[in-house]
Every structure is written in C-alpha cells, then in structure tokens.
Amino acid sequence: MRVLVTGGCGFIGSNFIRLLLQEHAEDEVLNLDKLTYAGNPENLKDVEDDPRYNFMKGDICDARDVEEAFSWGPEAVVNFAAETHVDRSITSPEDFIRTDVLGTYRILEEARKEGVRLLHISTDEVYGSIESGSFSEDSPLMPNSPYSASKAAADLLVRAYVRTYGLEALIVRSSNNYGPYQYPEKVIPLFVTNLLEGRKVPLYGEGKNVRDWLYVEDNCRAIDLVLRSGSPGQIYNVGGGEERTNLELTRAILEIMGAGEESVERVPDRPGHDLRYSVDTRKVRGLGWSPRYDFETGLRKTVAWYREHTEWWKPIKSGEFRRYYVEKYGDI
Ligand code: NAD
Ligand code: TYD
C-alpha cells in the first residue's frame, strides 16, 4: 500500500512509519511534515535511505502543499500532524486551531477530491474528564483545553465528511502514549531526562490526576490494524489499560532511576487540568488488538532508551526547549 503520513517526524508518526516499513515489505510511505519544534528528522534517520521512504517538507494548512503530497498517489492517508501539547495550547491556542482544525480540513478536502481512505489520529482527551468508568466511542465530546477542543472540532469535521460526502474515513482515539522519540515537554520524557541531568521533576498540583499509559509501539500496531481492517466511518478507542495517578507514575520513574522523593518539586497546577481520562477499548480489541507491553516493562524500556540516547535529547533540551522550560518552570 502507498501511505501518505502527515506529521511523521513527530513522536508517534515516526514510530508508526518505522513499524509500517518493518511489517509491510510492499508498502511505501510519503511523510509530509512541516518540521515544527516537535518535528525532528533525526527520529527517522535509520529509515532515511530506505527507497520505500519519501519525505516532503510542507504544511497541512497549505492547500498547495497538501495537493502536491496527494499527487504522489497515496491509497491511504494517516493524519498525525498536529500541535499536541496541552500546556502550549493554554498559552498559544491559535496554533492549535490552525493546524488541528484547518489542517485537518485541508486533508479532508483533498482526500474527498482524490477518493483516498483517511485514518485520522485523535485522542481520548476529546471526551473530557471522567471520574469513574470509561468512555465508549459513542460518548459525547466534552473537551476542556484548547488542544482537546481543537482535536474534537477536527473529529466532528471527519464525521461530517463521512456523512455528507461518503468519505472513507476512520478515527483512532488513543490514551497517553510513551516511549522512544517523545519530545521532552511531555511528562515521562521530561521527568526521565531531568533526572538524568540531575534536576528535579515538576509535579503539578497534588499529583492526583490519572492517565492511562499506552506504549507507543502498541498504539502504532493498533493504528496499523485499524488502517487495514477497520470499518469505514468508525471510531476506535485505544488504551493501555494502565491507569496511574501522576504521583504513582512519578514514584515508578524515581524507583527505576534510583532517585528519592527529594527529587520531586511540587509546582502550581495546570489551569482546567482534567482529572482522569479512561476509554473502553472493546471495539479495537474486537479487531484482534491487545497491548503487548505492560506499564512496568514499557517504562523500563523507555527509561533505558533515554539513558542510551542522550545524543537525541540533549540538543533538544539545550535548544528551543531550554527557553520554554526556563519561562515555565524557572530554576527547577
Ligand atoms: P508530536 O508533537 O510529537 O509531533 C507532531 C508532528 O506534526 C511534528 O513532526 C510536527 O512537525 C508535525 N506538524 C505540526 N504541525 C504541522 C503542520 N501544520 N503541517 C505538517 N506537519 C505538522 O505529536 P505526537 O505526540 O506524535 O502526536 C501525533 C498525533 O497523535 C497528534 O494528532 C496527537 O493529537 C495524537 N495523540 C497523541 C498522544 C500522545 O500521547 N502523544 C495521545 C493521543 C493522541
Ligand atoms: P502530558 O504529558 O503533558 O500529557 P497530557 O496533558 O496530554 O495528558 O501530562 C501528563 C500528566 O502529567 C498530566 O496530568 C499533567 C502532568 N504533568 C506534570 O505533573 N508535570 C509536568 O511538568 C508535565 C509536563 C505534566
């Protein structure tokens, strides 16, 4: 299959492209990426010379860029490209509305014109927070951050294109991913690399918020399965079934890394901080998917990867990220 992947230089997109090339010898990929602060060609250095891998620098909000990428002749498009960090969406919402909403619209338009199957990558955050139980794919969308609201808007556009134009589109809504190549603004790589640098870890509020952790390779396998076996027009939740409070997560990281509670710095809470995300994953399990990594194993693998790949994250942490970090966390 010829697959157009957007946002393939980011965390999940790069892991997905690697998996696709490994698992499907006949597949070819075109990666359309704007190379924002979160897009890093280093994430795909090992596949750069594979003749089945192609790269185009471009913006999903630019109709000409999107048209040019579709002229490559994809049979399917997987739309990962997005602004993704909740905290940045609180300080700069416009970037999120532009890329996550307008960008998705551009992809939808071109997919409709060319009759290409679309798998749109969404998030469990579109459902909002849930105190107990889990959201199903039919639960109402109640997003609470500019990030999740932009992602929810995109999901509704996808739905409209399925209903109105009969576009063959599917949506995957996954829980929090973790693993190799995740930009260190997100909690797990931030905490792990801070500890490797001898810094403290900034824990928001009471640390009582709950996230369901999903190892990135497991998510990529789910995405690949939905792309090939999912029913058009359907939505699939994907989650690791590994819910932890942030305090539990922090303690697990400290233990693996041999650090103590004195390494934790309590910092003010995020505004509008969702208490808990949880999704019912029976539908994707019905396609034959289940996670291969439990949280303990995935977290150990992740810590080991960051330990062994200082050459990947050190330039990030001393570059664009440093200014962002100091402004946000001060001297921690
Ligand atoms: P990321 O921030 O690591 O990467 C985003 C990528 O998109 C980067 O390579 C960036 O350069 C590219 N990009 C951004 N704006 C673009 C534009 N206008 N045109 C083209 N490319 C652009 O993100 P990620 O964590 O890999 O997330 C990928 C997708 O998965 C997103 O849609 C996100 O909402 C969704 N998701 C992420 C998680 C998670 O835990 N990381 C969980 C659920 C869903
Ligand atoms: P994050 O990785 O930003 O993902 P999301 O907000 O999309 O779930 O944050 C995961 C959890 O960790 C979230 O409850 C906020 C918390 N957190 C901290 O406690 N400290 C931090 O420095 C960051 C970045 C997040």
Side-chain angles (χ1 to χ4, degrees), residues 7 9-13 32-36 38-39 58-61 80-84 99 121-123 147 151 174-177 182 186:
C9 290
F11 165 48
I12 307 176
L32 171 67
D33 198 299
K34 186 182 176 185
L35 299 181
T36 67
D59 186 344
I60 61 162
C61 304
F80 290 95
E83 290 293 336
T84 61
T99 292
I121 304 300
S122 184
T123 165
Y147 164 64
K151 295 295 290 186
S174 84
S175 65
N176 284 63
N177 283 220
Q182 187 167 29
K186 307 283 166 43

PDB file of all heavy atoms in Angstrom, residues 7 9-13 32-36 38-39 58-61 80-84 99 121-123 147 151 174-177 182 186, ligand 1:
ATOM      1  N   GLY A   7       2.864  14.507   9.617  1.00  0.00           N
ATOM      2  CA  GLY A   7       3.429  14.604  10.970  1.00  0.00           C
ATOM      3  C   GLY A   7       4.306  13.421  11.336  1.00  0.00           C
ATOM      4  O   GLY A   7       4.455  13.082  12.511  1.00  0.00           O
ATOM      5  N   CYS A   9       7.463  13.128  11.383  1.00  0.00           N
ATOM      6  CA  CYS A   9       8.723  13.405  12.097  1.00  0.00           C
ATOM      7  C   CYS A   9       8.494  13.648  13.587  1.00  0.00           C
ATOM      8  O   CYS A   9       9.422  13.983  14.318  1.00  0.00           O
ATOM      9  CB  CYS A   9       9.453  14.597  11.477  1.00  0.00           C
ATOM     10  SG  CYS A   9      10.110  14.214   9.850  1.00  0.00           S
ATOM     11  N   GLY A  10       7.255  13.483  14.029  1.00  0.00           N
ATOM     12  CA  GLY A  10       6.961  13.623  15.455  1.00  0.00           C
ATOM     13  C   GLY A  10       7.115  12.279  16.166  1.00  0.00           C
ATOM     14  O   GLY A  10       7.638  11.308  15.607  1.00  0.00           O
ATOM     15  N   PHE A  11       6.639  12.246  17.379  1.00  0.00           N
ATOM     16  CA  PHE A  11       6.816  11.074  18.245  1.00  0.00           C
ATOM     17  C   PHE A  11       6.082   9.831  17.709  1.00  0.00           C
ATOM     18  O   PHE A  11       6.705   8.839  17.310  1.00  0.00           O
ATOM     19  CB  PHE A  11       6.327  11.465  19.655  1.00  0.00           C
ATOM     20  CG  PHE A  11       6.086  10.336  20.596  1.00  0.00           C
ATOM     21  CD1 PHE A  11       7.018   9.314  20.775  1.00  0.00           C
ATOM     22  CD2 PHE A  11       4.909  10.300  21.351  1.00  0.00           C
ATOM     23  CE1 PHE A  11       6.776   8.283  21.670  1.00  0.00           C
ATOM     24  CE2 PHE A  11       4.671   9.281  22.252  1.00  0.00           C
ATOM     25  CZ  PHE A  11       5.595   8.266  22.408  1.00  0.00           C
ATOM     26  N   ILE A  12       4.753   9.882  17.639  1.00  0.00           N
ATOM     27  CA  ILE A  12       4.012   8.670  17.249  1.00  0.00           C
ATOM     28  C   ILE A  12       4.188   8.411  15.750  1.00  0.00           C
ATOM     29  O   ILE A  12       4.381   7.260  15.330  1.00  0.00           O
ATOM     30  CB  ILE A  12       2.513   8.780  17.612  1.00  0.00           C
ATOM     31  CG1 ILE A  12       2.343   9.147  19.094  1.00  0.00           C
ATOM     32  CG2 ILE A  12       1.804   7.456  17.326  1.00  0.00           C
ATOM     33  CD1 ILE A  12       0.894   9.363  19.531  1.00  0.00           C
ATOM     34  N   GLY A  13       4.160   9.478  14.942  1.00  0.00           N
ATOM     35  CA  GLY A  13       4.290   9.318  13.492  1.00  0.00           C
ATOM     36  C   GLY A  13       5.581   8.616  13.103  1.00  0.00           C
ATOM     37  O   GLY A  13       5.588   7.749  12.217  1.00  0.00           O
ATOM     38  N   LEU A  32       4.714  13.797   5.035  1.00  0.00           N
ATOM     39  CA  LEU A  32       4.540  15.245   4.868  1.00  0.00           C
ATOM     40  C   LEU A  32       4.616  15.888   6.246  1.00  0.00           C
ATOM     41  O   LEU A  32       3.752  15.637   7.091  1.00  0.00           O
ATOM     42  CB  LEU A  32       3.166  15.535   4.234  1.00  0.00           C
ATOM     43  CG  LEU A  32       2.733  17.007   4.186  1.00  0.00           C
ATOM     44  CD1 LEU A  32       3.610  17.824   3.256  1.00  0.00           C
ATOM     45  CD2 LEU A  32       1.256  17.122   3.760  1.00  0.00           C
ATOM     46  N   ASP A  33       5.668  16.678   6.479  1.00  0.00           N
ATOM     47  CA  ASP A  33       5.848  17.263   7.812  1.00  0.00           C
ATOM     48  C   ASP A  33       6.377  18.681   7.681  1.00  0.00           C
ATOM     49  O   ASP A  33       7.287  18.947   6.889  1.00  0.00           O
ATOM     50  CB  ASP A  33       6.804  16.385   8.645  1.00  0.00           C
ATOM     51  CG  ASP A  33       6.700  16.685  10.133  1.00  0.00           C
ATOM     52  OD1 ASP A  33       6.987  17.839  10.516  1.00  0.00           O
ATOM     53  OD2 ASP A  33       6.356  15.777  10.904  1.00  0.00           O
ATOM     54  N   LYS A  34       5.847  19.564   8.512  1.00  0.00           N
ATOM     55  CA  LYS A  34       6.255  20.974   8.482  1.00  0.00           C
ATOM     56  C   LYS A  34       7.569  21.196   9.227  1.00  0.00           C
ATOM     57  O   LYS A  34       8.185  22.252   9.109  1.00  0.00           O
ATOM     58  CB  LYS A  34       5.138  21.803   9.144  1.00  0.00           C
ATOM     59  CG  LYS A  34       5.316  23.303   9.080  1.00  0.00           C
ATOM     60  CD  LYS A  34       4.162  23.990   9.806  1.00  0.00           C
ATOM     61  CE  LYS A  34       4.360  25.492   9.848  1.00  0.00           C
ATOM     62  NZ  LYS A  34       3.316  26.158  10.635  1.00  0.00           N
ATOM     63  N   LEU A  35       7.975  20.226  10.016  1.00  0.00           N
ATOM     64  CA  LEU A  35       9.157  20.340  10.881  1.00  0.00           C
ATOM     65  C   LEU A  35       9.022  21.534  11.825  1.00  0.00           C
ATOM     66  O   LEU A  35       9.813  22.473  11.788  1.00  0.00           O
ATOM     67  CB  LEU A  35      10.460  20.411  10.058  1.00  0.00           C
ATOM     68  CG  LEU A  35      10.732  19.190   9.175  1.00  0.00           C
ATOM     69  CD1 LEU A  35      12.052  19.356   8.417  1.00  0.00           C
ATOM     70  CD2 LEU A  35      10.761  17.896   9.987  1.00  0.00           C
ATOM     71  N   THR A  36       7.990  21.483  12.641  1.00  0.00           N
ATOM     72  CA  THR A  36       7.836  22.467  13.716  1.00  0.00           C
ATOM     73  C   THR A  36       8.862  22.117  14.796  1.00  0.00           C
ATOM     74  O   THR A  36       9.648  21.180  14.636  1.00  0.00           O
ATOM     75  CB  THR A  36       6.425  22.388  14.339  1.00  0.00           C
ATOM     76  OG1 THR A  36       6.300  21.132  15.022  1.00  0.00           O
ATOM     77  CG2 THR A  36       5.332  22.521  13.289  1.00  0.00           C
ATOM     78  N   ALA A  38       8.469  20.375  17.197  1.00  0.00           N
ATOM     79  CA  ALA A  38       8.273  18.975  17.616  1.00  0.00           C
ATOM     80  C   ALA A  38       8.683  17.974  16.535  1.00  0.00           C
ATOM     81  O   ALA A  38       8.768  16.771  16.804  1.00  0.00           O
ATOM     82  CB  ALA A  38       6.812  18.746  17.990  1.00  0.00           C
ATOM     83  N   GLY A  39       8.910  18.447  15.314  1.00  0.00           N
ATOM     84  CA  GLY A  39       9.257  17.557  14.209  1.00  0.00           C
ATOM     85  C   GLY A  39      10.763  17.456  14.073  1.00  0.00           C
ATOM     86  O   GLY A  39      11.447  18.473  13.928  1.00  0.00           O
ATOM     87  N   GLY A  58       6.362  20.246   4.313  1.00  0.00           N
ATOM     88  CA  GLY A  58       5.180  21.022   3.935  1.00  0.00           C
ATOM     89  C   GLY A  58       4.200  21.126   5.083  1.00  0.00           C
ATOM     90  O   GLY A  58       4.316  20.432   6.088  1.00  0.00           O
ATOM     91  N   ASP A  59       3.235  22.027   4.880  1.00  0.00           N
ATOM     92  CA  ASP A  59       2.282  22.390   5.932  1.00  0.00           C
ATOM     93  C   ASP A  59       0.895  21.844   5.569  1.00  0.00           C
ATOM     94  O   ASP A  59       0.400  22.125   4.469  1.00  0.00           O
ATOM     95  CB  ASP A  59       2.257  23.930   5.994  1.00  0.00           C
ATOM     96  CG  ASP A  59       1.414  24.472   7.133  1.00  0.00           C
ATOM     97  OD1 ASP A  59       0.598  23.722   7.703  1.00  0.00           O
ATOM     98  OD2 ASP A  59       1.585  25.667   7.442  1.00  0.00           O
ATOM     99  N   ILE A  60       0.262  21.117   6.465  1.00  0.00           N
ATOM    100  CA  ILE A  60      -1.077  20.586   6.139  1.00  0.00           C
ATOM    101  C   ILE A  60      -2.130  21.699   6.035  1.00  0.00           C
ATOM    102  O   ILE A  60      -3.224  21.454   5.549  1.00  0.00           O
ATOM    103  CB  ILE A  60      -1.565  19.479   7.119  1.00  0.00           C
ATOM    104  CG1 ILE A  60      -1.688  19.993   8.555  1.00  0.00           C
ATOM    105  CG2 ILE A  60      -0.698  18.236   7.032  1.00  0.00           C
ATOM    106  CD1 ILE A  60      -2.554  19.109   9.455  1.00  0.00           C
ATOM    107  N   CYS A  61      -1.786  22.905   6.491  1.00  0.00           N
ATOM    108  CA  CYS A  61      -2.735  24.022   6.350  1.00  0.00           C
ATOM    109  C   CYS A  61      -2.628  24.704   4.994  1.00  0.00           C
ATOM    110  O   CYS A  61      -3.456  25.561   4.658  1.00  0.00           O
ATOM    111  CB  CYS A  61      -2.488  25.068   7.436  1.00  0.00           C
ATOM    112  SG  CYS A  61      -2.576  24.399   9.082  1.00  0.00           S
ATOM    113  N   PHE A  80      -1.390  12.347  11.368  1.00  0.00           N
ATOM    114  CA  PHE A  80      -0.870  12.561  12.726  1.00  0.00           C
ATOM    115  C   PHE A  80      -0.593  14.040  12.985  1.00  0.00           C
ATOM    116  O   PHE A  80      -0.502  14.453  14.139  1.00  0.00           O
ATOM    117  CB  PHE A  80       0.485  11.845  12.910  1.00  0.00           C
ATOM    118  CG  PHE A  80       0.434  10.345  12.958  1.00  0.00           C
ATOM    119  CD1 PHE A  80       0.649   9.588  11.812  1.00  0.00           C
ATOM    120  CD2 PHE A  80       0.216   9.685  14.151  1.00  0.00           C
ATOM    121  CE1 PHE A  80       0.633   8.207  11.858  1.00  0.00           C
ATOM    122  CE2 PHE A  80       0.202   8.299  14.208  1.00  0.00           C
ATOM    123  CZ  PHE A  80       0.408   7.559  13.059  1.00  0.00           C
ATOM    124  N   ALA A  81      -0.348  14.815  11.923  1.00  0.00           N
ATOM    125  CA  ALA A  81       0.160  16.189  12.092  1.00  0.00           C
ATOM    126  C   ALA A  81      -0.767  17.002  12.985  1.00  0.00           C
ATOM    127  O   ALA A  81      -1.969  17.080  12.756  1.00  0.00           O
ATOM    128  CB  ALA A  81       0.294  16.867  10.728  1.00  0.00           C
ATOM    129  N   ALA A  82      -0.191  17.596  14.010  1.00  0.00           N
ATOM    130  CA  ALA A  82      -0.981  18.403  14.948  1.00  0.00           C
ATOM    131  C   ALA A  82      -0.048  19.138  15.892  1.00  0.00           C
ATOM    132  O   ALA A  82       1.117  18.769  16.045  1.00  0.00           O
ATOM    133  CB  ALA A  82      -1.916  17.497  15.769  1.00  0.00           C
ATOM    134  N   GLU A  83      -0.569  20.181  16.503  1.00  0.00           N
ATOM    135  CA  GLU A  83       0.040  20.733  17.709  1.00  0.00           C
ATOM    136  C   GLU A  83      -0.514  19.875  18.834  1.00  0.00           C
ATOM    137  O   GLU A  83      -1.729  19.609  18.867  1.00  0.00           O
ATOM    138  CB  GLU A  83      -0.352  22.205  17.890  1.00  0.00           C
ATOM    139  CG  GLU A  83       0.265  23.143  16.876  1.00  0.00           C
ATOM    140  CD  GLU A  83       1.778  23.266  17.025  1.00  0.00           C
ATOM    141  OE1 GLU A  83       2.302  23.017  18.127  1.00  0.00           O
ATOM    142  OE2 GLU A  83       2.440  23.601  16.018  1.00  0.00           O
ATOM    143  N   THR A  84       0.359  19.450  19.780  1.00  0.00           N
ATOM    144  CA  THR A  84      -0.072  18.368  20.670  1.00  0.00           C
ATOM    145  C   THR A  84       0.080  18.620  22.167  1.00  0.00           C
ATOM    146  O   THR A  84      -0.316  17.765  22.953  1.00  0.00           O
ATOM    147  CB  THR A  84       0.711  17.077  20.343  1.00  0.00           C
ATOM    148  OG1 THR A  84       2.112  17.330  20.566  1.00  0.00           O
ATOM    149  CG2 THR A  84       0.488  16.621  18.919  1.00  0.00           C
ATOM    150  N   THR A  99      -3.596  24.401  12.977  1.00  0.00           N
ATOM    151  CA  THR A  99      -3.140  23.095  12.473  1.00  0.00           C
ATOM    152  C   THR A  99      -4.162  21.982  12.716  1.00  0.00           C
ATOM    153  O   THR A  99      -4.479  21.209  11.806  1.00  0.00           O
ATOM    154  CB  THR A  99      -1.789  22.720  13.115  1.00  0.00           C
ATOM    155  OG1 THR A  99      -0.797  23.614  12.617  1.00  0.00           O
ATOM    156  CG2 THR A  99      -1.393  21.294  12.777  1.00  0.00           C
ATOM    157  N   ILE A 121      -5.921  10.646  13.260  1.00  0.00           N
ATOM    158  CA  ILE A 121      -5.429  10.309  14.602  1.00  0.00           C
ATOM    159  C   ILE A 121      -5.947  11.327  15.605  1.00  0.00           C
ATOM    160  O   ILE A 121      -5.607  12.515  15.540  1.00  0.00           O
ATOM    161  CB  ILE A 121      -3.880  10.271  14.630  1.00  0.00           C
ATOM    162  CG1 ILE A 121      -3.350   9.283  13.579  1.00  0.00           C
ATOM    163  CG2 ILE A 121      -3.392   9.900  16.025  1.00  0.00           C
ATOM    164  CD1 ILE A 121      -3.805   7.841  13.736  1.00  0.00           C
ATOM    165  N   SER A 122      -6.763  10.834  16.529  1.00  0.00           N
ATOM    166  CA  SER A 122      -7.317  11.704  17.553  1.00  0.00           C
ATOM    167  C   SER A 122      -6.859  11.239  18.940  1.00  0.00           C
ATOM    168  O   SER A 122      -5.886  10.477  19.060  1.00  0.00           O
ATOM    169  CB  SER A 122      -8.846  11.724  17.429  1.00  0.00           C
ATOM    170  OG  SER A 122      -9.391  12.623  18.351  1.00  0.00           O
ATOM    171  N   THR A 123      -7.548  11.703  19.963  1.00  0.00           N
ATOM    172  CA  THR A 123      -7.089  11.478  21.334  1.00  0.00           C
ATOM    173  C   THR A 123      -8.269  11.207  22.277  1.00  0.00           C
ATOM    174  O   THR A 123      -9.388  11.673  22.014  1.00  0.00           O
ATOM    175  CB  THR A 123      -6.318  12.728  21.828  1.00  0.00           C
ATOM    176  OG1 THR A 123      -6.173  12.664  23.245  1.00  0.00           O
ATOM    177  CG2 THR A 123      -7.054  14.026  21.496  1.00  0.00           C
ATOM    178  N   TYR A 147      -6.307  22.506  23.274  1.00  0.00           N
ATOM    179  CA  TYR A 147      -5.826  21.350  22.499  1.00  0.00           C
ATOM    180  C   TYR A 147      -6.968  20.370  22.238  1.00  0.00           C
ATOM    181  O   TYR A 147      -7.268  20.044  21.078  1.00  0.00           O
ATOM    182  CB  TYR A 147      -4.679  20.645  23.242  1.00  0.00           C
ATOM    183  CG  TYR A 147      -4.377  19.237  22.737  1.00  0.00           C
ATOM    184  CD1 TYR A 147      -3.915  19.028  21.439  1.00  0.00           C
ATOM    185  CD2 TYR A 147      -4.574  18.123  23.554  1.00  0.00           C
ATOM    186  CE1 TYR A 147      -3.656  17.741  20.964  1.00  0.00           C
ATOM    187  CE2 TYR A 147      -4.303  16.839  23.089  1.00  0.00           C
ATOM    188  CZ  TYR A 147      -3.851  16.646  21.799  1.00  0.00           C
ATOM    189  OH  TYR A 147      -3.598  15.375  21.339  1.00  0.00           O
ATOM    190  N   LYS A 151      -8.902  19.264  18.719  1.00  0.00           N
ATOM    191  CA  LYS A 151      -8.950  17.871  18.241  1.00  0.00           C
ATOM    192  C   LYS A 151     -10.412  17.421  18.087  1.00  0.00           C
ATOM    193  O   LYS A 151     -10.749  16.709  17.131  1.00  0.00           O
ATOM    194  CB  LYS A 151      -8.209  16.940  19.206  1.00  0.00           C
ATOM    195  CG  LYS A 151      -6.707  17.167  19.322  1.00  0.00           C
ATOM    196  CD  LYS A 151      -5.936  16.870  18.039  1.00  0.00           C
ATOM    197  CE  LYS A 151      -5.896  15.392  17.704  1.00  0.00           C
ATOM    198  NZ  LYS A 151      -5.002  15.151  16.521  1.00  0.00           N
ATOM    199  N   SER A 174      -6.636   7.615  21.014  1.00  0.00           N
ATOM    200  CA  SER A 174      -5.802   6.834  21.924  1.00  0.00           C
ATOM    201  C   SER A 174      -5.523   7.585  23.213  1.00  0.00           C
ATOM    202  O   SER A 174      -5.649   8.805  23.294  1.00  0.00           O
ATOM    203  CB  SER A 174      -4.502   6.420  21.242  1.00  0.00           C
ATOM    204  OG  SER A 174      -3.561   7.453  21.343  1.00  0.00           O
ATOM    205  N   SER A 175      -5.133   6.821  24.210  1.00  0.00           N
ATOM    206  CA  SER A 175      -4.769   7.383  25.507  1.00  0.00           C
ATOM    207  C   SER A 175      -3.321   7.871  25.454  1.00  0.00           C
ATOM    208  O   SER A 175      -2.678   7.835  24.395  1.00  0.00           O
ATOM    209  CB  SER A 175      -4.972   6.330  26.591  1.00  0.00           C
ATOM    210  OG  SER A 175      -4.088   5.249  26.401  1.00  0.00           O
ATOM    211  N   ASN A 176      -2.772   8.310  26.576  1.00  0.00           N
ATOM    212  CA  ASN A 176      -1.416   8.882  26.620  1.00  0.00           C
ATOM    213  C   ASN A 176      -0.366   7.867  26.186  1.00  0.00           C
ATOM    214  O   ASN A 176      -0.241   6.807  26.797  1.00  0.00           O
ATOM    215  CB  ASN A 176      -1.076   9.327  28.046  1.00  0.00           C
ATOM    216  CG  ASN A 176      -1.760  10.618  28.417  1.00  0.00           C
ATOM    217  OD1 ASN A 176      -2.985  10.680  28.458  1.00  0.00           O
ATOM    218  ND2 ASN A 176      -0.987  11.653  28.696  1.00  0.00           N
ATOM    219  N   ASN A 177       0.377   8.225  25.163  1.00  0.00           N
ATOM    220  CA  ASN A 177       1.473   7.373  24.678  1.00  0.00           C
ATOM    221  C   ASN A 177       2.774   7.718  25.390  1.00  0.00           C
ATOM    222  O   ASN A 177       2.966   8.851  25.827  1.00  0.00           O
ATOM    223  CB  ASN A 177       1.717   7.632  23.192  1.00  0.00           C
ATOM    224  CG  ASN A 177       0.712   6.979  22.272  1.00  0.00           C
ATOM    225  OD1 ASN A 177       1.067   6.467  21.222  1.00  0.00           O
ATOM    226  ND2 ASN A 177      -0.567   6.994  22.633  1.00  0.00           N
ATOM    227  N   GLN A 182       9.894  10.666  22.165  1.00  0.00           N
ATOM    228  CA  GLN A 182       8.856  11.618  22.584  1.00  0.00           C
ATOM    229  C   GLN A 182       9.521  12.915  23.034  1.00  0.00           C
ATOM    230  O   GLN A 182      10.448  12.913  23.849  1.00  0.00           O
ATOM    231  CB  GLN A 182       8.009  11.038  23.725  1.00  0.00           C
ATOM    232  CG  GLN A 182       6.820  11.937  24.071  1.00  0.00           C
ATOM    233  CD  GLN A 182       5.790  11.275  24.974  1.00  0.00           C
ATOM    234  OE1 GLN A 182       6.123  10.407  25.774  1.00  0.00           O
ATOM    235  NE2 GLN A 182       4.541  11.675  24.843  1.00  0.00           N
ATOM    236  N   LYS A 186       6.630  16.499  27.288  1.00  0.00           N
ATOM    237  CA  LYS A 186       5.617  15.607  27.847  1.00  0.00           C
ATOM    238  C   LYS A 186       6.156  14.950  29.105  1.00  0.00           C
ATOM    239  O   LYS A 186       7.375  14.777  29.264  1.00  0.00           O
ATOM    240  CB  LYS A 186       5.191  14.546  26.819  1.00  0.00           C
ATOM    241  CG  LYS A 186       4.755  15.121  25.473  1.00  0.00           C
ATOM    242  CD  LYS A 186       3.367  15.719  25.516  1.00  0.00           C
ATOM    243  CE  LYS A 186       2.991  16.603  24.337  1.00  0.00           C
ATOM    244  NZ  LYS A 186       3.317  16.206  23.011  1.00  0.00           N
TER     245      LYS A 186
HETATM  246  P1  NAD B   1       4.306  15.477  18.141  1.00  0.00           P
HETATM  247  O1  NAD B   1       4.037  16.829  18.722  1.00  0.00           O
HETATM  248  O2  NAD B   1       5.451  14.678  18.675  1.00  0.00           O
HETATM  249  O3  NAD B   1       4.522  15.595  16.559  1.00  0.00           O
HETATM  250  C1  NAD B   1       3.702  16.360  15.738  1.00  0.00           C
HETATM  251  C2  NAD B   1       4.292  16.335  14.330  1.00  0.00           C
HETATM  252  O4  NAD B   1       3.417  17.048  13.450  1.00  0.00           O
HETATM  253  C3  NAD B   1       5.662  17.000  14.239  1.00  0.00           C
HETATM  254  O5  NAD B   1       6.526  16.226  13.434  1.00  0.00           O
HETATM  255  C4  NAD B   1       5.364  18.337  13.578  1.00  0.00           C
HETATM  256  O6  NAD B   1       6.459  18.866  12.840  1.00  0.00           O
HETATM  257  C5  NAD B   1       4.199  17.970  12.674  1.00  0.00           C
HETATM  258  N1  NAD B   1       3.341  19.123  12.364  1.00  0.00           N
HETATM  259  C6  NAD B   1       2.822  20.039  13.234  1.00  0.00           C
HETATM  260  N2  NAD B   1       2.133  20.972  12.559  1.00  0.00           N
HETATM  261  C7  NAD B   1       2.176  20.619  11.244  1.00  0.00           C
HETATM  262  C8  NAD B   1       1.621  21.183  10.062  1.00  0.00           C
HETATM  263  N3  NAD B   1       0.887  22.295  10.101  1.00  0.00           N
HETATM  264  N4  NAD B   1       1.855  20.557   8.885  1.00  0.00           N
HETATM  265  C9  NAD B   1       2.608  19.426   8.833  1.00  0.00           C
HETATM  266  N5  NAD B   1       3.175  18.866   9.917  1.00  0.00           N
HETATM  267  C10 NAD B   1       2.949  19.455  11.114  1.00  0.00           C
HETATM  268  O7  NAD B   1       2.934  14.685  18.277  1.00  0.00           O
HETATM  269  P2  NAD B   1       2.628  13.164  18.706  1.00  0.00           P
HETATM  270  O8  NAD B   1       2.686  13.065  20.184  1.00  0.00           O
HETATM  271  O9  NAD B   1       3.425  12.249  17.860  1.00  0.00           O
HETATM  272  O10 NAD B   1       1.078  13.075  18.301  1.00  0.00           O
HETATM  273  C11 NAD B   1       0.708  12.690  16.972  1.00  0.00           C
HETATM  274  C12 NAD B   1      -0.812  12.658  16.891  1.00  0.00           C
HETATM  275  O11 NAD B   1      -1.345  11.764  17.878  1.00  0.00           O
HETATM  276  C13 NAD B   1      -1.478  14.007  17.149  1.00  0.00           C
HETATM  277  O12 NAD B   1      -2.553  14.162  16.263  1.00  0.00           O
HETATM  278  C14 NAD B   1      -1.970  13.907  18.585  1.00  0.00           C
HETATM  279  O13 NAD B   1      -3.102  14.724  18.800  1.00  0.00           O
HETATM  280  C15 NAD B   1      -2.307  12.422  18.679  1.00  0.00           C
HETATM  281  N6  NAD B   1      -2.211  11.833  20.026  1.00  0.00           N
HETATM  282  C16 NAD B   1      -1.048  11.922  20.759  1.00  0.00           C
HETATM  283  C17 NAD B   1      -0.981  11.316  22.003  1.00  0.00           C
HETATM  284  C18 NAD B   1       0.292  11.336  22.831  1.00  0.00           C
HETATM  285  O14 NAD B   1       0.283  10.829  23.965  1.00  0.00           O
HETATM  286  N7  NAD B   1       1.395  11.845  22.330  1.00  0.00           N
HETATM  287  C19 NAD B   1      -2.108  10.642  22.525  1.00  0.00           C
HETATM  288  C20 NAD B   1      -3.273  10.588  21.760  1.00  0.00           C
HETATM  289  C21 NAD B   1      -3.299  11.183  20.511  1.00  0.00           C
END
